[in-house]
Amino acid sequence: MLDETYGLIIYQEQVQSAARILAGYSLGKADVLRRAMSKKKQEVLAKEKVPFFAGMKAHGHSEEASEAIWEILVPFSEYAFNKAHSAAYGLISYWTAYLKTHCPVEFMAALLQGASTNKDKTALYLGEARRMGIQVLSPDVNESVYEYSAVGNDIRFGLGAIRNIGEKAVADIIAERESLRGPYKNFMDFIRRVPLTVLSRQLIESLIKAGAFDSTDPSRHALSVVRDAAIDVMIPIKRKQEQGQFSLFSENEDGRAETMGDAGIAVPDAAEWDKKTKLNFEREVLGLYVSDHPLSGMQAVLTGLRDMSIAHLINQARTMADGRQVTLAGLITGVDRRVSKKGNPWAIVTIEDMESRIQCMFFGKVYEAASAELALDSVAQIRGRVQLRDEAVSLRATELQVPDLGDGNIRSLTVLVPWNVANRANMNGLRQALLRYPGLCETKLALSDGHGNTQVLTLGDRYRVKRNAALFAEIKSLFGPRCLVE
């Protein structure tokens, strides 16, 4: 019965066989036990314990043997599945592993499209694509189709993923760029050419904020300035054109298309939005950051502040004990302050890292202590207990810390060490010094041979330090007054 699974119970059918052979169950009664396990109905399993033990005793098995078998079967109910399903899952696993290995760009594009309505999964898959070395490009009016698409070694965001843009509008945009006039030359060319149904202020604003014109007009701010004027000029022209009063497009002597009525409209020379504003608008219309991330360049800092990434917690939460304490770190992207029926304030705080996001619940004294520091766009370290409710993973916060991420606190520290003094005693002294001053600064070791050749090693997260005079003094006592590279 267990030969093919090397003595382990893997399939639900094996539970049925065990119940029939050991406890004398009929096929019908064994199937009741199987269904209880497949549905994880613990109350039904508890009721089945009495007849199961009675059946085993009637078949000559001891109480100890019955208990041992039951202790194997009950935990199995947490992950039980039947043999037919295992074959299907195995085949699908093989297909997906093959496609991810041999067609990684196409595979990840399809995965992103499948999760396009789930922003948490989309963020997770975007992180995985980046980890695989695949660049995910912003949506583009000249390159994007409705869905995510593979473009060479990159993935192009689909226009359909942008908020306020429907399938009909995307079809009209694509149809016009594939006409004889070809791709859109710039923003004004787009405004002149697309049909009236596309010239919605909200739709054009979403395209601008998503970066869909970046390839022709790099300043999103400049386009936002001229947007309303361009639309106001073109709408009456297009309405007249629809009524057949004149042709919207005519050609001048050198064959270029020109449009009546918009001669005074031009994209101004306006400075781009700052990074924070630009990314916040991008998140507003796409649901996540695509062209960049506020935490870019801070991965090492986050690693030093947390036990695990948010994505790792979400993926592994069902194997953890409910209530386990963990420490996470990320950017606060949502603060929903509420008041309970008893009049007690509390909050749902959303934090996210480069891969995923999670909701953290702040109650009672924990909320009171943290309330003033719950600010959007700030990096936070949150310690709390894992909660599993209705397949959702959240954190019940027990402590909040907002680390000081000023340049002096995260800038790396480089220790210059000549090879001739890099002996065991000195290196052990350096190790002890670094461990005495834990912090956020990454530590690098530059080993020099005295002839201009230097090898730089980045030490692990365990050796991150806090910059201070006492640490510097200890290091200089080991390697001399000029050993620290600022």
Side-chain angles (χ1 to χ4, degrees), residues 301 305 379-381 401-406 409 440:
V301 174
L305 293 172
V379 175
Q381 180 189 51
Q401 295 289 337
V402 177
D404 182 0
L405 298 180
N409 289 317
L440 301 177

Side-chain angles (χ1 to χ4, degrees), residues 109 113 135-151 154-162 165-178 183-184 190 206-207 210-216 220 286 290:
Q113 184 58 37
Q135 185 177 3
V136 181
L137 306 173
S138 299
D140 188 283
V141 292
N142 280 327
E143 298 289 340
S144 294
V145 293
Y146 184 79
E147 302 177 337
Y148 288 88
S149 57
V151 183
D154 303 324
I155 294 174
R156 175 68 70 178
F157 226 92
L159 293 175
I162 305 174
I165 300 183
E167 194 167 357
K168 175 64 167 60
V170 174
D172 289 340
I173 291 170
I174 293 174
E176 175 56 34
R177 81 180 184 213
E178 291 179 349
Y184 303 108
F190 177 90
S206 294
L207 286 172
F213 297 102
D214 284 1
S215 61
T216 60
R220 301 181 191 180
L286 294 175
V290 179

Side-chain angles (χ1 to χ4, degrees), residues 128-438:
E128 174 65 7
R130 293 183 181 119
R131 187 197 65 78
M132 294 168 64
I134 301 171
Q135 185 177 3
V136 181
L137 306 173
S138 299
D140 188 283
V141 292
N142 280 327
E143 298 289 340
S144 294
V145 293
Y146 184 79
E147 302 177 337
Y148 288 88
S149 57
V151 183
N153 295 321
D154 303 324
I155 294 174
R156 175 68 70 178
F157 226 92
L159 293 175
I162 305 174
R163 191 169 297 166
N164 304 318
I165 300 183
E167 194 167 357
K168 175 64 167 60
V170 174
D172 289 340
I173 291 170
I174 293 174
E176 175 56 34
R177 81 180 184 213
E178 291 179 349
S179 68
L180 294 178
R181 287 183 285 271
Y184 303 108
K185 298 176 180 63
N186 49 47
F187 176 74
M188 289 308 303
D189 185 46
F190 177 90
I191 294 295
R192 294 182 188 110
R193 291 170 52 184
V194 294
L196 187 60
T197 53
V198 177
L199 288 183
S200 153
R201 297 182 193 279
Q202 199 174 42
L203 187 153
I204 299 300
E205 179 184 32
S206 294
L207 286 172
I208 293 170
K209 289 180 176 179
F213 297 102
D214 284 1
S215 61
T216 60
D217 297 87
S219 176
R220 301 181 191 180
H221 181 207
L223 298 187
S224 71
V225 171
V226 77
R227 178 199 68 211
D228 287 349
I231 293 175
D232 288 343
V233 166
M234 292 310 305
I235 285 179
I237 295 174
K238 288 183 180 292
R239 283 176 177 162
K240 290 181 180 180
Q241 187 265 343
E242 283 186 347
Q243 296 168 6
Q245 294 185 24
F246 60 83
S247 175
L248 178 61
F249 289 98
S250 59
E251 290 190 352
N252 55 25
E253 294 180 356
D254 59 4
R256 291 178 299 151
E258 61 181 5
T259 308
M260 297 176 62
D262 68 334
I265 304 298
V267 177
D269 185 15
E272 179 59 294
W273 288 313
D274 60 77
K275 178 179 176 180
K276 179 180 176 181
T277 302
K278 182 177 178 179
L279 291 178
N280 282 343
F281 280 143
E282 193 170 285
R283 180 185 176 85
E284 175 189 321
V285 296
L286 294 175
L288 63 165
Y289 306 110
V290 179
S291 64
D292 200 350
H293 197 286
L295 296 175
S296 292
M298 295 182 62
Q299 293 93 323
V301 174
L302 291 180
T303 300
L305 293 172
R306 68 195 183 191
D307 295 334
M308 63 188 73
S309 70
I310 297 173
H312 180 82
L313 170 62
I314 292 173
N315 288 336
Q316 301 298 321
R318 286 163 186 80
T319 65
M320 299 177 180
D322 194 27
R324 172 180 166 180
Q325 284 267 15
V326 298
T327 301
L328 302 176
L331 190 72
I332 296 179
T333 57
V335 180
D336 182 5
R337 300 179 190 268
R338 302 185 179 187
V339 178
S340 69
K341 292 181 180 179
K342 295 182 178 181
N344 299 319
W346 63 288
I348 302 174
V349 178
T350 303
I351 66 166
E352 66 176 73
D353 55 20
M354 296 289 289
E355 299 172 339
S356 193
R357 71 188 73 171
I358 191 170
Q359 289 188 332
C360 304
M361 312 299 174
F362 284 76
F363 299 103
K365 293 183 178 180
V366 178
Y367 173 76
E368 291 176 11
S371 177
E373 295 185 298
L374 294 177
L376 291 175
D377 300 323
S378 62
V379 175
Q381 180 189 51
I382 300 177
R383 183 165 178 79
R385 300 185 183 280
V386 178
Q387 293 185 319
L388 296 174
R389 299 291 185 273
D390 299 324
E391 301 299 315
V393 182
S394 62
L395 202 69
R396 185 186 178 103
T398 57
E399 183 182 0
L400 170 77
Q401 295 289 337
V402 177
D404 182 0
L405 298 180
D407 183 63
N409 289 317
I410 62 174
R411 186 160 42 93
S412 64
L413 176 69
T414 301
V415 183
L416 182 61
V417 179
W419 274 106
N420 62 342
V421 297
N423 54 53
R424 183 184 295 273
N426 284 342
M427 299 310 293
N428 187 56
L430 174 62
R431 173 178 173 275
Q432 295 299 327
L434 297 176
L435 292 176
R436 275 193 289 272
Y437 302 93

